[in-house]
Amino acid sequence: VGGGVETEAKVLQLVQAGARVVLISPCEHPTLEPLAQSGAITWHRRAYQPGDLEGCMLAVAHPADKSQNAQIAAEARARGVWLNAVDDPQYCDFILPAVHRQGDLILAVSTSGAAPALGVRIKARLAEEFGPEYALYLQLLREFRPIVAAAYPESFEARKAAWYRLVDADALTLIRLGRLAEARALLWRALREEARLEVV
């Protein structure tokens, strides 16, 4: 149920997570127009009406008129729908953390509803530290999952030790310098220290 200033961000996050999104909002949301036109979301361009939560599992309430949250929450409770009312914790069944993504890396920050703005600021700091090189790093490490499993099929402790050798190798520095092939070679050398398979 949208209309507030953060409606677009919430919808985009849900779509990215694979949700089937129905947006109830009479307001203009230019960023969401392509999603509506492509069928990625269903958009009812009107204010909330009782019955709108039928068939839903989860709802996010961010209406332009915050006084509607009580009515939305009452319907959510009656239908067993989990509700997040943005900046209105008395009606929240769950909270949405500030999330920073870089490929397979997902970092979530929550202040448990006490100060969401602080969570956003912390997320910004994390974004400075964990840049796009981490997406490449995790792509590279993913290549080693079947290799480590094949090298140590019977020993969890040996697999764990191998993974720590991999992540403790300084491949990330090479990735930051754009030297991906050298980073891969470094990881192979780190694995080779104790591996029981031939590394070429």
Side-chain angles (χ1 to χ4, degrees), residues 133-134 136-138 140-141 144 164-190:
E133 68 274 11
Y134 277 86
L136 291 173
Y137 187 30
L138 282 170
L140 191 54
L141 288 172
F144 283 83
Y164 277 108
R165 290 199 306 277
L166 289 171
V167 299
D168 289 341
D170 200 14
L172 190 59
T173 296
L174 293 170
I175 292 171
R176 286 190 174 114
L177 295 172
R179 295 154 60 180
L180 189 59
E182 292 178 56
R184 181 180 284 106
L186 176 62
L187 292 175
W188 274 110
R189 289 196 299 273

Side-chain angles (χ1 to χ4, degrees), residues 90-138:
Q90 64 178 320
Y91 297 119
C92 287
D93 299 310
F94 67 97
I95 56 176
L96 293 171
V99 178
H100 171 62
R101 290 181 172 87
Q102 287 292 353
D104 288 334
L105 180 66
I106 302 174
L107 302 175
V109 179
S110 172
T111 60
S112 300
L118 177 60
V120 172
R121 291 290 186 250
I122 294 173
K123 170 191 168 183
R125 294 177 190 173
L126 290 173
E128 293 177 0
E129 181 174 352
F130 297 93
E133 68 274 11
Y134 277 86
L136 291 173
Y137 187 30
L138 282 170

